[in-house]
Amino acid sequence: MHVVRLLAPNDFAEWRGKARQLLAAGLSPGQVEWRMLGDAGGLLDDVDAMALPQADRPIGSVPRQFLDLAQQAICHADPARFAVLYDLLWALQSNNRLLEDAILSANSLLTKWASAVRRDSHKMKAFVRFKAIGDDSGLERYAAWFEPEHYTLEMTAPFFARRFDGMVWAIVTPYRSVYWDGDSLAFGPGGQRADVPQDDAVEDDWKTYFSSIFNPARLKVSMMKSEMPMKYWRNLPEAELIAPLIRGARQMADDMIERAASQPPSRHLRQQAREPETQDSLGDIATLADARAAIQGCQRCPLYEQATQAVFGEGPEQAAVMFVGEQPGDQEDLKGKPFVGPAGQVFDAAVAKVGIDRSSVYVTNAVKHFKFVPRGKRRIHQRPDGGEVQACKFWLNLEIGLVRPRIIVALGATAAQSLLGKAIKISALRGAPVSMADGTILFVTNHPSYLLRIPDAEGRARESAKFEADLMLVRQALDALSMRG
C-alpha cells in the first residue's frame, strides 16, 4: 500500500501532481491510500517504501469536464474525495466515456459534492458579516468569522475582493484565513471565533436596517430557514431579531394594510410634489423644530418610500454659514443626522484644519431622503434626479429662511443645482464667491465624498488640498464678516 500525504485539504494542483506520479508509477486505486499531513499512521504504512517518479508533465489524458468537476469536488469535506477522484481518473485512462455517467447522473457522488461546495460558497457570500476593528492608525479595517461546511474559503475569497475592494478586511475560518489589503489576497492559518470582534459600532445600524427591510406580508418561515439555515444564525447579529419579528409579523402586516389604505397611489404623490407650495402650508412651519418634525411626514417625492427617515439639517439656529451637501448617505439615513458617515468625517477634518468651528456651522443636504438601490446586504447610493431635487427645494428654502446664513457653501453639483436653479460645473464656480440675489455669499466646491472615491493617494492628496483651499476662502469670508460686525 502506498500512502500519499497532502498538505492542503483542497489544493487541486497538489492533488493533481500526486495523481500524475501515481499514474506514472502504474499504481492502481486499490494500491493507494490518501491522507492529510498530520493524520495518524495506518497499520500498512511500513509497506510504503516505493519512490514515485517525477511527473511534471501531463500523464495520460482526461476530458476538460473532469478537471472542472474535480476542482470543485476536492473542496468537499468528505475524507474519501481524494480516493474517489483518483479512482475516476484511473478509469478515464482507458475509457473517457465514463465521465458522461459521472457528470450526468443525478446520483453521481462527484456531482453531489460539487453542488454542495457551490452551495456552501454561496452561503459564505450571503452570511459573512464584517465587524470594524478599531486601532490608533486611523485606517478602517474589518474582520469576519465564518464556519464553512466545506473547504470553500479559497474559491470564495476573490468574490469579496471584488465586492469590497475599497476596504481592508480579513475572513477567519476554522481551517484557514484570508487577508485583503486593497491590492492582493494573502492566505494564512485558520483561527477561532474569538479572533474576531464580537460586536462593533455599526452592528446596531445593521440591525436597524434588517428590521426596516423585513416585510411581514411576504413572511414564509420554512422558505426563510431554507435560504438562511439556522446553523449560520449564531454568527449573524440580526438573528436575534428574527424570532420577535416573526411573532409580531401579523400585527405588522395589519398595520401596513391600514397605512396603505390611507395613502394615495405613488403617481398621485409625485404629481402632488410638482405642485407649488401653498401659503397655508408654509405658514404652519415657523421654527426649525417645526420643520424638523413636519419633514418626517414628507411625501413630496417617492424617495420617502424606501428611506428609513428624513434627515433634516443640524446646527445653530442663527449660524453665519450653512453647508449644503447632496443627500444623506447610508449612515445618515439610519441615524437621522447629516454628515455623520465617512464623508462627514472627511468634512469635519477639513473644516477643523482651516480653522472653522464645526459646532458653529449649520449642515444640511439639498435632498432629505436617502436614495439608493439594494445590492446584497449593501445600499448603494444613487444621485437624486432633477425632479427630486426640485421637490426637496421647499425644505432647503425653509432652512435658509429660518437660519438666514450670510454664507452658503454648496458641496457638490447637486447642492449647487438646488441653490442656483440650474446645473453647473463645479470647476466653473469654485475658487471665488458668488453674490446671490438676497445678498448671501455662495461658495461652490466638491462634496467630501468625492475625495473618498479617488483611488490613488497622489490624486486624493491633490484634490484634498483644493478642497481645503476652498474652505479657507470660506474661513476668510467669515473673518471679514466678523470684523464688520
Side-chain angles (χ1 to χ4, degrees), residues 8 17 24 129 177 185 191 215 263 288 308 366 368 371 378 386 405 415 421 459:
R129 297 287 184 268
S177 60
L185 292 168
N215 188 342
Q263 291 177 353
L288 286 174
T308 304
K368 313 301 185 186
K371 183 179 182 179
R378 301 181 65 193

Side-chain angles (χ1 to χ4, degrees), residues 1 30 81 105 118 129 153 179 183 213 215 219 241 252 255-256 285 288 297 414-415 424 439 441 451 458:
M1 180 68 67
R81 61 193 180 282
S105 170
R118 291 194 297 272
R129 297 287 184 268
L153 177 64
Y179 174 74
D183 185 51
I213 64 173
N215 188 342
L219 176 63
L241 303 176
M252 292 174 66
D255 293 345
M256 287 176 61
I285 301 174
L288 286 174
T414 299
I424 60 103
I441 300 173
L451 305 177
E458 183 179 350

Side-chain angles (χ1 to χ4, degrees), residues 263-275 299-302 304-305:
Q263 291 177 353
S266 58
R267 184 182 62 180
H268 172 74
L269 295 175
R270 288 193 292 270
Q271 177 64 32
Q272 188 180 47
R274 288 193 288 269
E275 295 177 354
Q299 299 178 354
R300 300 174 61 81
C301 76
Y304 80 93
E305 294 172 335

Side-chain angles (χ1 to χ4, degrees), residues 123-190:
K123 296 302 182 186
M124 181 182 289
K125 295 173 185 175
F127 298 133
V128 157
R129 297 287 184 268
F130 286 108
K131 298 176 185 295
I133 300 176
D135 59 24
D136 298 331
S137 66
L139 181 67
E140 288 188 340
R141 300 187 301 168
Y142 299 85
W145 166 253
F146 191 76
E147 300 173 60
E149 188 174 348
H150 305 289
Y151 300 105
T152 49
L153 177 64
E154 292 85 346
M155 65 183 293
T156 315
F159 163 82
F160 290 99
R162 294 190 297 273
R163 181 74 175 274
F164 304 109
D165 61 338
M167 291 170 40
V168 175
W169 52 259
I171 300 175
V172 183
T173 76
Y175 81 96
R176 215 172 184 198
S177 60
V178 60
Y179 174 74
W180 169 256
D181 62 0
D183 185 51
S184 60
L185 292 168
F187 291 91

Side-chain angles (χ1 to χ4, degrees), residues 282-358:
L282 286 169
D284 293 339
I285 301 174
T287 67
L288 286 174
D290 292 341
R292 187 172 289 107
I295 198 172
Q296 296 307 325
C298 178
Q299 299 178 354
R300 300 174 61 81
C301 76
L303 293 186
Y304 80 93
E305 294 172 335
Q306 291 191 344
T308 304
Q309 57 193 311
V311 180
F312 201 63
E314 193 174 68
E317 295 188 1
Q318 302 299 321
V321 59
M322 173 183 288
F323 288 88
V324 182
E326 181 185 82
Q327 64 162 329
D330 184 83
Q331 294 190 34
E332 286 84 0
D333 171 75
L334 295 171
K335 296 179 179 176
K337 291 178 174 294
F339 288 81
V340 294
Q345 295 171 21
V346 172
F347 172 76
D348 288 352
V351 295
K353 190 171 183 178
V354 301
I356 296 177
D357 181 3
R358 172 69 168 79

